[in-house]
């Protein structure tokens, strides 16, 4: 499994601590440094079964600058949202865990991390 993190994020550090406590094998992706491409974001969205606006941190300063809260949340606007996430990775909700069974989730709680672990066991 892979976990997209920002090391400065307390929820990311908490998720890593739980994964370590459970002895999980995982790869860390510091997505602010190793920025996902638009195609990678699309793939993760497919696994999450979410839309790009569902994983956008709309309270970030850059989100306010871009005015994303006012962007249409519809199929025709998906590419605009995905491009913004790829160009400004700070907008991506975190942490995101992609499990080996093809699922993914935004792991902002201990329960979500445990769910990812359950998916990873197959």
């Amino acid at each position: 499994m892979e976990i997209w993190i920002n090391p400065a994020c307390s929820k990311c550090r908490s998720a890593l601590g739980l994964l370590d406590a459970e002895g999980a094998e995982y790869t860390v992706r510091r997505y602010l440094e190793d920025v996902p491409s638009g195609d990678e974001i699309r793939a993760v969205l497919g696994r999450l079964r979410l839309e790009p606006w569902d994983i956008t941190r709309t309270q970030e300063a850059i989100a306010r600058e871009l005015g994303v809260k006012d962007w249409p949340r519809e199929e025709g606007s998906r590419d605009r949202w995905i491009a913004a996430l790829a160009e400004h990775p700070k907008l991506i909700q975190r942490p995101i865990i992609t499990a080996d069974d093809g699922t993914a989730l935004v792991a902002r709680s201990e329960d979500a991390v445990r769910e990812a672990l359950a998916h990873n066991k197959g």
Side-chain angles (χ1 to χ4, degrees), residues 6-122:
N6 173 352
C9 168
S10 62
K11 291 192 185 299
C12 292
R13 292 191 307 271
S14 175
L16 291 175
L18 182 54
L19 291 174
D20 289 342
E22 294 291 328
E25 289 185 26
Y26 61 91
T27 303
V28 169
R29 179 169 188 172
R30 293 178 178 221
Y31 70 91
L32 296 179
E33 299 160 19
D34 182 7
V35 179
S37 69
D39 286 343
E40 287 176 301
I41 293 169
R42 276 185 193 82
V44 165
L45 286 167
R47 291 173 74 170
L48 288 166
R49 294 188 175 109
L50 294 174
E51 294 295 341
W53 44 85
D54 296 327
I55 65 163
T56 300
R57 296 171 54 84
T58 58
Q59 298 304 314
E60 290 290 334
I62 189 66
R64 289 192 297 275
E65 271 180 48
L66 294 171
V68 297
K69 278 190 169 182
D70 297 325
W71 291 5
R73 296 177 182 220
E74 60 194 21
E75 181 65 32
S77 298
R78 285 184 98 242
D79 288 344
R80 181 182 187 189
W81 284 85
I82 290 167
L85 294 172
E87 188 172 337
H88 307 284
K90 197 170 198 172
L91 293 175
I92 299 172
Q93 195 63 258
R94 63 195 181 239
I96 293 176
I97 298 176
T98 56
D100 293 343
D101 71 355
T103 61
L105 51 88
V106 179
R108 295 189 56 76
S109 69
E110 188 174 306
D111 287 344
V113 175
R114 291 192 186 285
E115 182 179 337
L117 286 165
H119 281 281
N120 216 53
K121 291 178 182 164

